[in-house]
Amino acid sequence: MDKILYKLDSFEGPLDLLLTLIQKHKVNICDIPIVEITSQYMEAIDGIEEANLDNTSEFLVMAAHLLYIKSKMLLPKNGEEEDEEDPREELARRLIEYQQFKEASKELRKTEFSTKYMVFRNEEKISFPIPEYDVSHEVDELVEAFNSIFQRQLRRAKPEKRAFSQIVGREKVSVDDMVEKICKALRRSKHIQFETLFQPDDSKPEMIATFLAVLEMIKLNRLYANYDETTKDFILTTEKTNG
């Protein structure tokens, strides 16, 4: 091999220097020519004591380790020693691991430089003021709204349903069932329009039970009614508004 001159302060440590020597001469890491590499390494660190480097001892420790491996490789082998582990294997593992970390750091450095001069604005939380509903309503207003819906439903009701009401008997509707119906509607939407609780084919008992269920839930503070000027109807919600 040709003699190569290196500045030790340009290497991160002895493994970095060794890897450079191996790559320079296109040597297989798993089959290091330990005699030649050791000679090259010793030439590279010649005069290291005067170099005044922070990691001088690391280079010297590696030099001693290379000389130890070299001596092991040069010793004659007998039959019992043939099955022993190659003294270069541990060094090869360290070099492969170091090479992987070095390549990974190069990739990370690319990202570092691409974002080095980028300035990011701090996150700002935008808060939207919630309009306060500060109008109070009497129960009579809710009753009036129910009557309006009730009369409209009567006009739309099918004649057959009323015609046979005396024959089939009076329908029994549970207020608890209507409470459950309202709760299901509120699970689908946090705000529901009062009028939507009543369907065109609802009977009188169903409508009355639904209305009583609304009043009971308002009484127990499980439901709140706010008047909406846009729809001219009450909006029912489980959330209490300020006011």
Side-chain angles (χ1 to χ4, degrees):
M1 295 182 181
D2 297 331
K3 185 175 180 179
I4 307 172
L5 299 177
Y6 293 97
K7 291 184 65 177
L8 293 182
D9 57 358
S10 62
F11 296 98
E12 296 180 2
L15 286 176
D16 198 23
L17 173 58
L18 263 179
L19 189 62
T20 302
L21 290 171
I22 289 171
Q23 291 174 342
K24 177 70 176 177
H25 297 287
K26 300 179 180 178
V27 173
N28 185 352
I29 293 180
C30 296
D31 188 21
I32 303 172
I34 197 68
V35 176
E36 290 84 354
I37 287 295
T38 302
S39 299
Q40 287 287 332
Y41 183 86
M42 298 303 292
E43 288 179 8
I45 68 168
D46 185 31
I48 191 173
E49 292 85 351
E50 292 79 25
N52 195 26
L53 299 176
D54 293 335
N55 54 350
T56 298
S57 60
E58 295 179 14
F59 285 94
L60 294 176
V61 169
M62 178 58 73
H65 187 59
L66 288 172
L67 290 172
Y68 169 76
I69 297 174
K70 179 180 176 181
S71 66
K72 290 277 289 184
M73 297 289 292
L74 294 175
L75 286 174
K77 298 180 180 179
N78 55 38
E80 295 180 358
E81 294 177 343
E82 288 181 358
D83 295 333
E84 289 185 1
E85 181 182 358
D86 190 328
R88 300 171 298 174
E89 286 188 12
E90 189 269 338
L91 178 62
R93 284 195 294 267
R94 291 173 60 189
L95 284 168
I96 291 172
E97 186 178 83
Y98 177 78
Q99 185 180 34
Q100 290 173 343
F101 279 108
K102 189 173 182 179
E103 290 173 356
S105 66
K106 286 181 181 178
E107 294 299 319
L108 291 174
R109 244 183 234 112
K110 293 177 183 177
T111 308
E112 175 191 358
F113 292 135
S114 65
T115 58
K116 185 175 181 181
Y117 300 103
M118 295 178 67
V119 179
F120 298 93
R121 184 175 181 179
N122 294 331
E123 179 184 357
E124 292 184 5
K125 292 186 177 180
I126 302 175
S127 58
F128 297 94
I130 301 175
E132 295 184 356
Y133 188 84
D134 55 0
V135 181
S136 59
H137 298 277
E138 299 294 335
V139 177
D140 292 344
E141 295 181 65
L142 195 60
V143 173
E144 185 180 345
F146 171 70
N147 279 330
S148 176
I149 297 171
F150 187 70
Q151 295 300 324
R152 191 158 59 247
Q153 293 287 79
L154 285 179
R155 291 193 295 269
R156 295 174 180 173
K158 298 178 181 178
E160 292 78 10
K161 191 172 184 178
R162 293 198 302 269
F164 293 97
S165 61
Q166 298 300 323
I167 300 175
V168 298
R170 183 173 297 179
E171 181 182 6
K172 294 182 180 180
V173 181
S174 170
V175 174
D176 290 339
D177 291 342
M178 295 301 104
V179 169
E180 180 62 27
K181 172 185 172 183
I182 296 170
C183 289
K184 286 182 180 179
L186 288 168
R187 281 195 288 269
R188 292 191 296 269
S189 177
K190 292 183 179 180
H191 302 82
I192 58 175
Q193 198 171 330
F194 180 56
E195 185 176 0
T196 60
L197 294 177
F198 307 96
Q199 302 302 317
D201 57 349
D202 283 351
S203 64
K204 288 182 184 179
E206 285 176 330
M207 295 183 68
I208 294 172
T210 300
F211 181 60
L212 292 176
V214 171
L215 293 179
E216 184 65 20
M217 292 178 73
I218 291 174
K219 178 183 176 182
L220 297 175
N221 292 325
R222 292 179 59 189
L223 195 64
Y224 301 93
N226 301 320
Y227 190 73
D228 183 23
E229 290 290 346
T230 305
T231 60
K232 302 298 181 182
D233 192 10
F234 281 91
I235 302 299
L236 304 179
T237 178
T238 56
E239 300 173 349
K240 186 176 181 180
T241 57
N242 297 326

